[in-house]
Amino acid sequence: MLLTTVLTELLGGLITTLEIFILTLLFAIPLGLVVAWGRMSKIKPIQWIMRIYISVMRGTPLMLQLIVVFFGPYYILGVSTSSSYRLIAVLIAFIINYAAYFAEIFRGGIESIPKGQYEAAQILGYTKMETFFIIILPQVFKIVLPSITNEVITLVKDTSLSFVLAIPELFTVAKQVAASEASILALFIAGIFYYILNAIVAFIMELLEKKLNYYQ
């Protein structure tokens, strides 16, 4: 009976965790690519804005960023927020945080591509946009995939930080159930869920790496 109750409660938290995870990836990866472009821009103001953004996001705790995003509108702008804003604040904080990490990963990948490839593409008549999306980007994804895998696995675990804003994700629900049932079973099962999620992520990324190893 206890196991059934725990599993039923945790499934709701698991859905919220997956929602945070999927939406963060969906927006943080393309945003990270845009930030990487800005970081490599020849326009100095844009380059320095992106440098500062990345430095702040990587140099301060995600937990602090969650708090600032949620309470900032009230304390800085005087705008009142409702409880429904909690999940939005979590998503904003996660997206801008992980976009900074993805940006540096993408930047490293883009800068590792030999300049000769750009010159060859120009000779073949490709525009700069075509060169990037057709020739450069596929190679970049192959190069940075292991680093992205590490960040994605970290993201699965970082979703537990949503407890700061009382979002009923997996870890928050597990703590509540453990307290109400006076048992650590919920926390143990939550740990299993996190492990399974990360195992699935690692498996999918490994398949992608094998698919991209077209020279082997």
Side-chain angles (χ1 to χ4, degrees):
M1 177 67 81
L2 176 60
L3 179 60
T4 303
T5 302
V6 169
L7 286 173
T8 302
E9 294 284 343
L10 290 183
L11 282 175
L14 179 60
I15 291 172
T16 303
T17 291
L18 288 173
E19 182 179 1
I20 295 169
F21 171 76
I22 292 170
L23 288 175
T24 298
L25 280 185
L26 189 62
F27 290 99
I29 290 178
L31 179 58
L33 197 54
V34 172
V35 174
W37 280 337
R39 174 70 174 77
M40 295 182 295
S41 173
K42 294 180 180 179
I43 303 173
K44 290 298 181 181
I46 294 177
Q47 183 185 127
W48 279 103
I49 288 171
M50 293 307 169
R51 276 176 177 266
I52 293 169
Y53 161 68
I54 292 170
S55 178
V56 171
M57 290 298 105
R58 296 174 69 193
T60 57
L62 176 54
M63 187 180 295
L64 176 61
Q65 294 166 22
L66 285 163
I67 294 171
V68 169
V69 171
F70 181 69
F71 292 104
Y74 178 76
Y75 286 106
I76 298 174
L77 304 175
V79 177
S80 298
T81 56
S82 63
S83 58
S84 61
Y85 176 63
R86 293 180 185 276
L87 182 57
I88 296 173
V90 165
L91 290 173
I92 292 173
F94 270 84
I95 289 167
I96 62 176
N97 177 275
Y98 271 84
Y101 285 92
F102 286 135
E104 285 298 90
I105 291 172
F106 283 130
R107 183 177 68 87
I110 292 170
E111 291 182 346
S112 69
I113 303 297
K115 294 187 183 296
Q117 296 203 23
Y118 293 92
E119 296 169 356
Q122 187 177 9
I123 292 171
L124 291 172
Y126 285 98
T127 64
K128 289 184 177 180
M129 195 68 70
E130 289 173 337
T131 299
F132 183 79
F133 284 102
I134 297 175
I135 298 174
I136 305 302
L137 193 58
Q139 295 181 73
V140 169
F141 270 113
K142 179 183 177 182
I143 293 168
V144 304
L145 195 56
S147 298
I148 288 179
T149 300
N150 290 335
E151 289 300 323
V152 173
I153 288 174
T154 300
L155 173 60
V156 172
K157 295 178 286 186
D158 275 354
T159 56
S160 63
L161 293 175
S162 302
F163 82 90
V164 176
L165 300 184
I167 295 297
E169 44 71 51
L170 182 58
F171 182 65
T172 301
V173 173
K175 287 198 304 179
Q176 293 171 348
V177 174
S180 64
E181 299 290 342
S183 169
I184 65 167
L185 180 61
L187 293 171
F188 178 74
I189 294 175
I192 293 175
F193 279 153
Y194 281 118
Y195 179 79
I196 291 173
L197 283 175
N198 275 325
I200 292 172
V201 167
F203 177 73
I204 292 172
M205 291 302 193
E206 187 177 347
L207 287 180
L208 282 174
E209 283 190 51
K210 289 180 179 178
K211 187 176 181 61
L212 291 174
N213 283 338
Y214 34 73
Y215 292 125
Q216 295 182 5

